[in-house]
Amino acid sequence: MLESKLKKTCNLNIGHGQSENRLKNTLGFSKGEMMDRLGVLAALIILVVVMTIFAPNFATTSNIFGILQQIAVIGIISVGMTFVILLGGIDLSVGSIVAFTGLVIGLCMKAGLAIPVALLVGIVIGAVIGWLNGFLISKIKLQPFVATLGTMTMVRGMAYTITNGQPVYQLPTAFTDLAGFIGPVPKPVIIMAIVFAFGAYTLKYTRFGRHMFAIGGNRVASKLSGINVTKNEILVYITSGMCCALAAILLTARMGSAVATAADGYELDAIAAVAIGGTSMLGGKGTILGTLIGALIIGVIANGLNLLDVQQGPQRFVKGIIIILAVVIEEIRKKKEA
């Protein structure tokens, strides 16, 4: 009798496991992960409904495209931030990198460099700052929080120094057109979609992506299995820096000028988008799709609060609460799984 019950239980468990494997092979994520995504998506839908009811002019076509355009910069930064957090790290310097590379690109164009060359210089500088973050963390063994806090302050200081705090404006029209439209769709939204597609492909289909999950899940085991943790860690921070430089191009083009105060606080928005999207702040688990939904939630909240005339202070307070809630929910879910 007991043997029969055990066999029945085992068969059920095996069946459940096979079902989980089939679902994961088909969709690319497990049932639990699918429920996480549906939960975040449901939160976004509820938020949109609430804002449609209470915020005037929220559900208009122009406002919806405006939200997408607003989140383009944060979204691109968040792709790099997702890589970093998957690795078990954090990057507080992203806002400063955006401001500094935007200024450098503007100064290069004002100095007479061709626009493609100026953009390339900005991308290279973003990569170099990202490399510095990776070097400090993987070689010098500084904590990611401390290392990127240092570069955040240092790079923001460089942004003020190279222009004496003055804005760089009167940029070429061919450059500011990067923030224009293709039909009804803003160009930054198209670029953001490409970056998200690149990020999702990298995580799902490349060895680099698989190594990120492995290192974030268990760094020691990854080393023992032959993964070059140091190299991958530096590459991840370089990728984050390059995402920041690309975001700087779009932000500077949209503003028509570059200022040292640009992107102040963007690190908070990027971290919030990643955390809300379900990426574990301890690393090893997360998706680009979740980050996209998280960025949309951040954009809808910011836009809705602006339409309701809520000041920046309360907006930051709300974002901080959302980050805390996202992490608390993640911890509760982990305890249930354990």
Side-chain angles (χ1 to χ4, degrees), residues 69-91:
Q69 191 167 20
Q70 287 170 5
I71 70 163
V73 171
I74 292 297
I76 291 170
I77 298 171
S78 299
V79 171
M81 186 68 81
T82 303
F83 287 8
V84 170
I85 292 178
L86 272 176
L87 209 64
I90 197 79
D91 190 350

Side-chain angles (χ1 to χ4, degrees), residues 102-250:
L103 282 170
V104 170
I105 290 168
L107 289 173
C108 286
M109 288 187 287
K110 297 291 284 184
L113 285 181
I115 293 174
V117 177
L119 301 187
L120 182 60
V121 170
I123 296 289
V124 170
I125 287 178
V128 169
I129 299 172
W131 172 85
L132 178 61
N133 280 331
F135 178 81
L136 292 173
I137 293 165
S138 61
K139 289 286 188 182
I140 310 299
K141 304 299 180 188
L142 296 183
Q143 288 296 317
F145 178 85
V146 175
T148 57
L149 181 64
T151 51
M152 176 184 79
T153 307
M154 181 184 73
V155 174
R156 184 71 71 176
M158 289 164 58
Y160 278 100
T161 301
I162 61 173
T163 60
N164 289 322
Q166 298 300 313
V168 179
Y169 50 86
Q170 294 182 340
L171 301 176
T173 305
F175 172 71
T176 56
D177 281 348
L178 289 173
F181 291 77
I182 297 179
V185 183
K187 291 178 185 175
V189 175
I190 297 172
I191 296 171
M192 176 185 69
I194 294 171
V195 173
F196 268 98
F198 166 78
Y201 178 85
T202 301
L203 287 185
K204 187 170 176 60
Y205 295 108
T206 69
R207 180 180 296 178
F208 179 45
R210 290 192 291 273
H211 285 178
M212 276 186 243
F213 285 106
I215 296 169
N218 192 322
R219 180 177 294 263
V220 175
S222 298
K223 275 186 180 178
L224 293 174
S225 64
I227 295 175
N228 190 332
V229 174
T230 300
K231 176 185 171 184
N232 281 280
E233 201 161 41
I234 290 176
L235 284 176
V236 163
Y237 280 94
I238 288 175
T239 305
S240 178
M242 293 173 72
C243 285
C244 292
L246 181 56
I249 293 169
L250 298 181

Side-chain angles (χ1 to χ4, degrees), residues 240-322:
S240 178
M242 293 173 72
C243 285
C244 292
L246 181 56
I249 293 169
L250 298 181
L251 181 63
T252 307
R254 193 180 77 194
M255 294 170 60
S257 63
V259 293
T261 55
D264 182 31
Y266 277 26
E267 58 277 355
L268 180 64
D269 288 343
I271 294 169
V274 176
I276 293 169
T279 296
S280 170
M281 298 302 289
L282 298 177
K285 182 186 174 187
T287 64
I288 290 295
L289 177 60
T291 297
L292 174 60
I293 298 174
L296 285 169
I297 289 176
I298 292 292
V300 169
I301 290 174
N303 181 267
L305 293 179
N306 281 334
L307 291 175
L308 292 170
D309 289 329
V310 177
Q311 300 299 313
Q312 285 296 316
Q315 285 194 31
R316 289 200 174 199
F317 175 80
V318 170
K319 289 173 186 173
I321 293 292
I322 290 172

